Amino acid sequence: MKGILLIILFFVITAASGQHSRNAYVDDEGVLRWEHDQSEIVGFGVNYSVPFAHAFRMAERMGIDHEEAIRQDVYHFARLDLDLYRVHVWDTEISDSVGNLLENEHLRLFDFAIHEMKKRGMRFVITPIAFWGNGWPEPDEDTPGFSNKYGKDACLTNPDAIKAQANYLEQFLNHKNAFTGIAYKDDPDVIAFEVSNEPHHGGSEEEVKSYINKMVASMKKTGLQKPVFYNMSHSIHLADAYMEADVDGGTFQWYPSGLVANHALKGNYLPHVAEYKIPYEDHPGFKNKAKIVYEFDPADVAGNYMYPAMARSFREAGLQLATHFAYDAMFLAPFNTNYGTHFMNMAYAPQKALSLKIASAVFHEIPRNADFGAFPGNNVFGDFRVSYEQNLAEYLSENRFFYTNNTSSVPSETSKLKEIAGFGNSPVVKYDGRGAYFLDEIEPGVWRLEIMPDAFWLKDPYSPVDPNVQKAAVLHAEHSMTIHLPQLGDTFSAKGINEGNALTAIANEGEINLTPGVYLLRKKGVTAKIDAQSAFKNILLNEYVAPATDLDTLLVHNKTSQSMNMSDEVEISFDVISAEKPEEVAVFVGEGHYRSRRFEAKEISLNHYRALLPDEFNRQQTLNYYIGVKHPDGNWKTFPSGIAGSPGDWDFSPRQGYNLDISPDDAPLLLWSADDHEFSSSFWQQGVGVLPNFNRRVLSYNFTPDDTDCSVDEPFHAFKYYFGEQIAGRKKNILSKEKLVLKAGVRSGMPPVLHISLIDKSGLVRKYQMKLNDHDEFYTVSLNNFDAGRIAVVPRPFPDYLPWFAGSENNTDFNLDEIEFLQIVLPAQKVEGAIDFYLEEVWLE
């Protein structure tokens, strides 16, 4: 029965959308429009790769049905309001060496994915050529395609490779989808094609233009009437070739925080997405070219506040389509091996997924070329708000209320709300769980509630990929939810309607206990008959997709600062992640073997514990402590090492412990040392790296600049280091600090000039220009001598033509007590010979 209803849903959606799915075109002003009514096209969605490469292979290894995995993920696309799909097709898996299309399982599954997405009303931008091998993050396989035979560079220049690509493009566009029966060139839901993924051209402008035109000609040979786009994010020195080629627009990317940091980036990255600059905006040939984003992500940024800000900057830049890279299949998300520098899944990264849902609303509601001013500072635009400090993205309109974290924002008229999606607490919904929830009005007095299971990050999801290491988990648990909607009242009923969910309950003053699933909520007295299998928007009412509980470990995530002041209360705070509630939780201070003192830790919110130590510990020392958790089976486990037993046991063998430095309030405040450089954001420069220097380590600079007259906007080197958590326990004394001290030394050559900056939580900068010399080791400067500065955009973004610095130097709201980054820039400067100096430490006193 459900299959029949899905077919009905498919035809309802496609019949409705078919009236608005004619061919697209690009007008004389470079605007992508529908032919039938000349309306502007706007779309927002994701890249997704289960039919190909690593995701395909992992499904096979794990015994996962590819089709079912695709169905599940596409359902989540619908819940996140994603209406666009783009992918660079792995041509190397579906072609032979001369470009003949191979009718194999990869192509069939791609057809299937398109078919499933069409059921949900999604549209498409298809990139038939990827050039990539199919390995990442594994070694490439020996695939049959022309890309494997020739490689990317030769594909762009070798006549036989070019002939193979032309043959492949023609066959690909003529290929009829095995499930829809429609050739891709004719599919009304395919908006446009992008020729290839990131071609990275060399050669002359004429050679490049000739290559592009040959590819486009092979596509047009099929009778294609849709726009054809070309990647313009790379080799920007070939601008004239792109503008003169037979293409309708350019495709662009944005990775504002670089790629593959191998750890989560911390701190405020909103200044990195203040605006999106396209280098061709003043080129005469670009005026009639449409602009779309084929990939974007604030890679390695664990916060959930970035996506709406990026969507805002895209719309201000006039971009009409954008697809995030890349959505993780639900079966693979716990391990995050597909693209470890990205992490996106509704079940395992619910707050980030909700942020993407809000970004979709931004993209569809913010007018093209709107101007709301620049970050930092203006974090409210239209009905949207982003907050780094609250780790919050929010959308509050008359009818819709979406939020990614706890919020105190109050709807102007709650009675007008028709859709709510959130995580945590708001004035409308209070929820104890750690999963996303969705509330939709079906008809007056009847709402649909969908609750996802609790999500936990067991390890840094951006750490190096390892298919044997689970980084995220979910848990199906019962939690309290309180809903304050006048449309439902305080005594509404709840009835489970997804498969296997027979729970029924009555709310008491709006509060009700529920487990993950889908429920129909009815206001008291409402008797309207609702078919649980009927269609609602682009889903069925009783549809529900969530992974089974896979949390089977016990972990502690310590939230305690590494340092504190003697005048403060000693507080140890941490999260306990466990499928079962612990019987006891305690903090042990000391070294074990009966020398440890035990202090009870109390749960102050779901999974979060705190222990307060007596005043006698408020003295100058390095406190060594452990956190012990007693499982319901009676066994203790001690952290950070996770070993069995308790420090109170006679045979406990003390291993790694936690350390807390307790210092006098007026002690110097260390911001950075060379040992911290591993976690500094930077870019590679030959001759810059951490080296031993007698009994210490220093960050060494030893290189000869290639061009001493290089642009003042491109520094010789720059790095930023986030110390926010490192100093969290001593922040209250920052305002008593008067000087910044740098320990450094010039070994030889001309002493350089450095720009040393402090950056606060808002992204505002105070900078000091410091000239080193050949005899001092300690450089002291009054904090009063710092002036306004700009943020260095490091790690470097992709595309690399984006500005080196962000923000304005005309700012007056800098807060010294909110500093969280140290930034050191070695600006371009005239030097004679080599640069040869080192940096060791920076502190405040």
Side-chain angles (χ1 to χ4, degrees), residues 91 130 139 207 271 308-309 381 389 430-431 446 490 542 553 563 726:
D91 56 278
E207 289 170 333
F381 44 101
E389 292 192 61
K430 298 188 184 305
Y431 181 56
V446 182
D490 289 339
N542 67 341
T553 188
S563 62
Q726 180 177 313

Side-chain angles (χ1 to χ4, degrees), residues 495-626:
K495 179 181 179 181
I497 60 172
N498 60 293
E499 185 177 350
N501 185 1
L503 192 152
T504 60
I506 303 293
N508 180 20
E509 296 184 352
E511 183 177 6
I512 197 164
N513 290 332
L514 298 172
T515 56
V518 177
Y519 301 86
L520 276 184
L521 308 182
R522 292 176 182 268
K523 187 174 184 176
K524 186 176 181 180
V526 173
T527 59
K529 291 186 177 180
I530 303 293
D531 183 353
Q533 293 186 321
S534 61
F536 174 71
K537 297 181 179 178
N538 58 349
I539 65 170
L540 300 180
L541 285 179
N542 67 341
E543 279 190 273
Y544 183 66
V545 172
T549 291
D550 55 6
L551 176 63
D552 61 356
T553 188
L554 173 63
L555 290 175
V556 166
H557 287 170
N558 196 1
K559 306 292 185 180
T560 309
S561 175
Q562 299 172 24
S563 62
M564 62 165 286
N565 293 314
M566 287 170 53
S567 62
D568 293 332
E569 191 171 32
V570 181
E571 176 183 310
I572 310 298
S573 62
F574 51 92
D575 294 336
V576 175
I577 298 175
S578 175
E580 298 182 86
K581 196 173 188 64
E583 185 176 317
E584 294 180 58
V585 179
V587 171
F588 297 85
V589 180
E591 297 295 335
H593 294 297
Y594 293 113
R595 293 195 297 272
S596 294
R597 293 181 60 184
R598 172 178 165 169
F599 301 93
E600 180 186 2
K602 295 183 178 180
E603 187 176 23
I604 57 175
S605 61
L606 183 67
N607 305 115
H608 186 65
Y609 290 78
R610 180 177 67 186
L612 298 177
L613 305 189
D615 290 345
E616 65 191 82
F617 288 98
N618 295 66
R619 53 187 171 81
Q620 186 173 358
Q621 63 171 313
T622 295
L623 189 73
N624 180 266
Y625 65 98
Y626 305 88

Side-chain angles (χ1 to χ4, degrees), residues 22 66 99 182 355 358 362 445 506 561 628 733 754 774 801 805 807:
R22 308 294 190 264
H66 292 90
I182 305 172
S355 184
I358 295 170
V362 171
I506 303 293
S561 175
N733 295 106
L754 297 176
D774 58 7
Y801 57 68
F805 293 91

Side-chain angles (χ1 to χ4, degrees), residues 356-368:
L356 202 65
K357 180 182 178 78
I358 295 170
S360 180
V362 171
F363 211 84
H364 285 89
E365 295 196 11
I366 296 296
R368 181 173 51 85

Side-chain angles (χ1 to χ4, degrees), residues 811-829:
N811 62 74
T812 58
D813 298 325
F814 175 83
N815 289 310
L816 181 63
D817 58 342
E818 296 291 345
I819 57 173
E820 63 175 22
F821 273 111
L822 172 75
Q823 174 178 293
I824 296 184
V825 175
L826 176 62
Q829 54 198 278

Side-chain angles (χ1 to χ4, degrees), residues 200-244:
H200 296 284
H201 280 287
S204 69
E205 290 180 357
E206 198 57 41
E207 289 170 333
V208 172
K209 184 172 72 171
S210 173
Y211 168 84
I212 297 172
N213 288 344
K214 285 178 181 178
M215 297 300 100
V216 176
S218 68
M219 300 170 78
K220 296 293 186 181
K221 185 179 177 181
T222 66
L224 178 70
Q225 300 296 310
K226 302 177 185 299
V228 177
F229 284 73
Y230 202 74
N231 186 290
M232 298 183 185
S233 286
H234 303 273
S235 305
I236 65 171
H237 63 286
L238 297 166
D240 290 342
Y242 300 148
M243 302 312 152
E244 294 172 9

